[in-house]
Amino acid sequence: MAEQQVIVKRLASIENFGSMNVLCSDKTGTLTEGVASLQSAVDVNGRPSDKVLLYAYVNSSFETGFVNPIDKAIRSHRTFDLGGWTKLDEIPYDFIRKRLTVLAGTGASV
């Protein structure tokens, strides 16, 4: 392990490591970089959709709750001009509903 420049924070883990037969690991990039990224936004038919991406961007831009890595990924994937959008209401994320709701509209629909 020293040859691979591995840093072990808990020495007891070395003992456990030696007794393993199989090690399963997630190597998707989130562990190594600590950053989530968005590849694409698709509609219900699985086709790429700018409309879905716009609504996700509106939601992630107007929410006031805790910082969420998925919302950061949405906002950094592509930006939209929200100058004509207005936030009308928000129901914060809660663990019973398991969702956050943002009500927003454009000048024509507000």
Side-chain angles (χ1 to χ4, degrees):
M1 290 178 67
E3 290 175 6
Q4 298 296 320
Q5 298 178 352
V6 173
I7 297 173
V8 178
K9 293 183 180 181
R10 292 184 302 167
L11 292 178
S13 62
I14 296 293
E15 196 174 312
N16 293 336
F17 187 73
S19 64
M20 282 191 290
N21 293 328
V22 177
L23 172 65
C24 297
S25 174
D26 176 12
K27 190 75 168 137
T28 61
T30 54
L31 293 178
T32 55
E33 296 178 13
V35 177
S37 63
L38 177 66
Q39 182 177 345
S40 65
V42 297
D43 63 17
V44 295
N45 297 312
R47 293 184 299 246
S49 172
D50 283 344
K51 188 175 184 179
V52 169
L53 184 57
L54 169 64
Y55 290 153
Y57 187 84
V58 167
N59 181 79
S60 66
S61 296
F62 284 131
E63 73 170 321
T64 59
F66 61 91
V67 177
N68 181 324
I70 294 174
D71 291 319
K72 278 185 174 180
I74 291 168
R75 290 190 306 268
S76 66
H77 179 74
R78 179 174 163 195
T79 59
F80 292 89
D81 178 14
L82 299 182
W85 286 84
T86 304
K87 178 180 174 180
L88 303 171
D89 201 2
E90 177 179 359
I91 302 173
Y93 180 88
D94 67 68
F95 293 96
I96 295 170
R97 289 179 355 118
K98 297 191 185 329
R99 70 185 62 142
L100 160 112
T101 303
V102 172
L103 178 62
T106 60
S109 63
V110 174

